[in-house]
Amino acid sequence: VESRCYSISSPPTRPGAFTITVKRVAGGVVSNWLHDNLTPGASVRAQGPRGTFLRPEAPARKYLFLSGGSGITPVMSMLREIADKAGDADVVFLHAGRTPQDFVFRDELALLAGRIKGLRLFLLPETAGAEPSWPGLTGRISAELMALAVPDMAERVVMCCGPAPFMAAARSIAASLGVPQERYLEESFDAAVLEPPVTEVTPATTTFSVRFAKQNRTIEVGAEQTVLSCAKKAGIRIPSSCANGICGTCKSRLVSGSVDMKHGGGIRQREIDAGMFLPCCSRPLSDLVIER
């Protein structure tokens, strides 16, 4: 059984609909299966939303929605909510992608820009690609571009989602243009960024024996290392996604031993009571036996 985590693209104003937006990834087991096999009437099993959810302390008067690539998904959910409520809005929506052909929701965004008073849409491709008549700018976000496109950026709540390098650039640009830290929010779901670094075990470091019963493999894991990071380094097969205790994909049964687990909502207390744990955010406190 394969599990993956996806952001929700439908708004809370549509309780009868629940949508995700899945990008086909070369070699992606789940994304390709969904594109090739999922048809109307099919059923899938899903868990509820996990993670830490933040919002401004009070509704803002002005927003900047800033997204890159498939990071448009959660931002699109918010824009659809604004459209459904038909209220006043002062939103600049800047979306970046490789080419105009890669813009997700391009037609819907154009439709919403015509419907929502106070919405200003700015699409930024790196290159014009197969659309040489592209009428706008091309390139990547920069302080100079943002100062030109959103001159009042410092007055807005910035909500950002995209690949890790895109968000790092956006965060730096926002700070340089005067956006207070408390008014800059982002959705972060990148295992490469979130997974704790693997530290090298030295003779002075406390280590524990961790045995994976079904795979008949035993490895050493340092007291300051996560079980998942060491298992992956050793080639142990454990399904995982977020590597930060949020999604629950790596959930495993702990046969014996104890761990220090600091999860982000990816496991319920009743599952912990039943002997389950998340290797991605657990450090051993003793020798372990895991049902994997």
Side-chain angles (χ1 to χ4, degrees):
V1 178
E2 297 284 348
S3 299
R4 294 294 186 274
C5 298
Y6 294 102
S7 297
I8 300 170
S9 54
S10 52
T13 46
R14 307 178 195 178
F18 184 87
T19 65
I20 59 174
T21 303
V22 181
K23 178 182 178 182
R24 184 190 287 272
V25 178
V29 175
V30 174
S31 66
N32 284 281
W33 186 92
L34 290 172
H35 275 270
D36 296 334
N37 298 282
L38 199 63
T39 57
S43 298
V44 295
R45 186 172 61 185
Q47 294 182 330
R50 304 291 177 87
T52 302
F53 302 92
L54 304 173
R55 65 172 61 198
E57 292 183 2
R61 189 173 63 86
K62 302 165 72 173
Y63 288 95
L64 167 61
F65 292 169
L66 189 56
S67 60
S70 57
I72 193 174
T73 305
V75 187
M76 198 66 194
S77 174
M78 294 188 290
L79 188 63
R80 285 169 166 169
E81 179 182 11
I82 291 173
D84 286 353
K85 290 183 175 178
D88 293 333
D90 187 341
V91 178
V92 177
F93 193 129
L94 192 152
H95 176 63
R98 289 191 178 90
T99 72
Q101 298 77 45
D102 294 312
F103 289 141
V104 188
F105 303 117
R106 183 177 176 181
D107 292 341
E108 184 178 352
L109 284 169
L111 176 65
L112 292 177
R115 284 181 49 200
I116 302 175
K117 183 179 179 181
L119 169 64
R120 184 155 58 89
L121 182 62
F122 195 116
L123 299 178
L124 180 68
E126 285 191 39
T127 67
E131 197 169 325
S133 61
W134 174 254
L137 298 174
T138 60
R140 297 184 177 183
I141 58 171
S142 65
E144 294 77 13
L145 171 68
M146 298 305 295
L148 177 65
V150 198
D152 60 350
M153 183 173 177
E155 302 171 14
R156 296 178 178 272
V157 168
V158 181
M159 309 190 82
C160 178
C161 186
F166 176 87
M167 290 200 296
R171 197 179 311 121
S172 175
I173 292 167
S176 72
L177 294 179
V179 178
Q181 185 175 356
E182 65 271 16
R183 290 213 303 266
Y184 178 89
L185 297 94
E186 61 185 33
E187 174 171 309
S188 183
F189 203 94
D190 191 318
V193 174
L194 297 174
E195 185 168 2
V198 178
T199 56
E200 293 297 326
V201 177
T202 65
T205 301
T206 302
T207 63
F208 298 101
S209 171
V210 178
R211 180 169 177 265
F212 296 87
K214 290 184 178 180
Q215 299 181 54
N216 195 26
R217 293 282 306 279
T218 301
I219 62 173
E220 296 294 315
V221 178
E224 298 304 316
Q225 296 175 298
T226 65
V227 174
L228 179 67
S229 63
C230 292
K232 283 190 170 295
K233 191 174 182 181
I236 304 292
R237 297 186 303 277
I238 300 179
S240 63
S241 182
C242 75
N244 200 46
I246 296 173
C247 69
T249 304
C250 67
K251 197 176 299 173
S252 305
R253 183 172 300 281
L254 186 60
V255 179
S256 66
S258 59
V259 298
D260 177 21
M261 179 170 61
K262 292 181 171 61
H263 66 86
I267 189 169
R268 294 180 171 85
Q269 185 58 48
R270 66 172 180 268
E271 294 173 315
I272 298 173
D273 295 341
M276 307 300 288
F277 83 114
L278 299 178
C280 68
C281 57
S282 296
R283 291 168 170 78
L285 296 174
S286 68
D287 292 342
L288 309 176
V289 176
I290 299 170
E291 193 178 281
R292 277 285 183 189

